[in-house]
Amino acid sequence: MLIGLVGKPSSGKSTFFKAATLAEVEIASYPFTTIKPNHGVGYAKIDCIEREFGVKCQPNHGFCIKGNRFVPVELMDVAGLVPGASEGKGLGNHFLDDLRQADVFIHIVDASGTTDEEGKPAMNHDPSKDILFLENELNRWFYNIMAKAWKSFVRKTEQDEENFAEAVAKQFSGLKVNEGHVKKVLSMLRLPEKPSNWNEDQLFWFASELRTESKPTIIAANKVDLEKAYANYQFLKMRFPGLIIIPCSADSELALREAAKKGLTDYIPGERGFEITGEVNDEQREALSDIKEAVLDKFKEGTGVQEILNYAVFNFLNYIAVFPVDNANKLTDSKGRILPDCFFLPPGSTALDFAYHLHTDFGNNFIRAIDARTKKILGKNYELKHRDVLEIVTK
Ligand SMILES: Nc1nc2c(ncn2[C@@H]2O[C@H](COP(=O)(O)OP(=O)(O)OP(=O)(O)O)[C@@H](O)[C@H]2O)c(=O)[nH]1
Ligand SMILES: [Mg+2]
């Protein structure tokens, strides 16, 4: 699963990325700070099962704080996009190709209105313009990729009488488009039956809808700690009722996570409160108190960063988290560690899919799975549930 961060320059993509991953990346107030993409690991937050089972987990990847388990998800931060990027303006949109394999996008919007569409300082910039142009550039990027291959692809598909949805999914699998996406878009658009009869506009609609379907996009209304952002956030929600828009202050989340890492507070990502637990100077105390007042007390989503990541994983992608163990009674792996791993799988995955996810040999030699909660034996077709704990028994 790959989550891609997109947006205009200076909207706060790298700040969001750093807050989520704590990786060292460059952040600055001038446009095009990021040129080469940043890859990193962020975390979706779930209720750990350790309490239910009365044990203390020992995560191999990610971490667990007070029953909150943070499960790794891959994140990518790219260069900013400006209007006309698909025709080569700014840095163009070549770097978007790095995001072909993204399953979901987080569009970081500067909701404070203090930067223009190119990321330069401005006053009262209307952030709804950024949503419109960015969606358009993303769609053009998809369209350009599809248009290049389209004529010969359609000719061949029609000649060989191939199943169209299946053929599109195969041809554009590099964009992580699947048959389900194509079928949904076709039923929505009611385009002429023969794709060779589609005109350019019709192909553009098709490409745009396919982009929206295969890379659903959450809007992070960022910089809500700044003055005008709250009003702009409310306006965006009214202007785009069909979009998921979540208020966010990436900068606050970064400060909170860094303070917690230093042991200055007991902040848990995604929570709305914290206690000061270390030696802080007056300046630090004031900064923390400002964040509490301007962001945490004001928004039910807290700083929004964790809420947005969770929304992407669970609401958009409907992923389920599953814990593998080697011993269903002790909840340990072969080295005796308690609940060391937790993995995300797409909805509808089975016990056999899970076995293959763990290791090809597990899949090939699958005999049965054991549910650690009920100790029931499960067959290969058992459909996984969120927070299942399974032992896979192999030949
Ligand atoms: N007040 C405030 N400032 C923020 C927030 N997030 C980011 N910033 C500031 O916005 C500026 C741009 O942040 P970056 O994270 O570098 O933006 P970017 O989108 O990665 O920019 P490019 O790499 O140039 O595309 C920096 O000065 C950040 O400190 C926020 O939530 N609140
Ligand atoms: Mg950046």
Side-chain angles (χ1 to χ4, degrees), residues 206-252:
F206 179 68
S208 301
E209 288 303 327
L210 209 50
R211 199 282 301 166
T212 314
E213 220 26 72
S214 61
K215 309 214 183 297
T217 304
I218 303 177
I219 310 288
N222 194 31
K223 309 195 188 179
V224 284
D225 51 291
L226 295 181
E227 198 197 329
K228 300 237 170 68
Y230 189 72
N232 280 335
Y233 158 62
Q234 297 289 7
F235 171 70
L236 289 178
K237 282 213 302 189
M238 228 168 53
R239 172 87 170 70
F240 302 104
L243 296 180
I244 300 299
I245 304 176
I246 299 179
C248 174
S249 174
D251 198 41
S252 305

Side-chain angles (χ1 to χ4, degrees), residues 7-16 26-34 77-80 222-226 248-252:
K8 72 177 184 183
S10 297
S11 60
K13 298 178 296 299
S14 299
T15 309
F16 187 106
E26 228 180 309
I27 292 173
S29 58
Y30 52 83
F32 301 119
T33 304
T34 306
D77 164 38
V78 296
N222 194 31
K223 309 195 188 179
V224 284
D225 51 291
L226 295 181
C248 174
S249 174
D251 198 41
S252 305

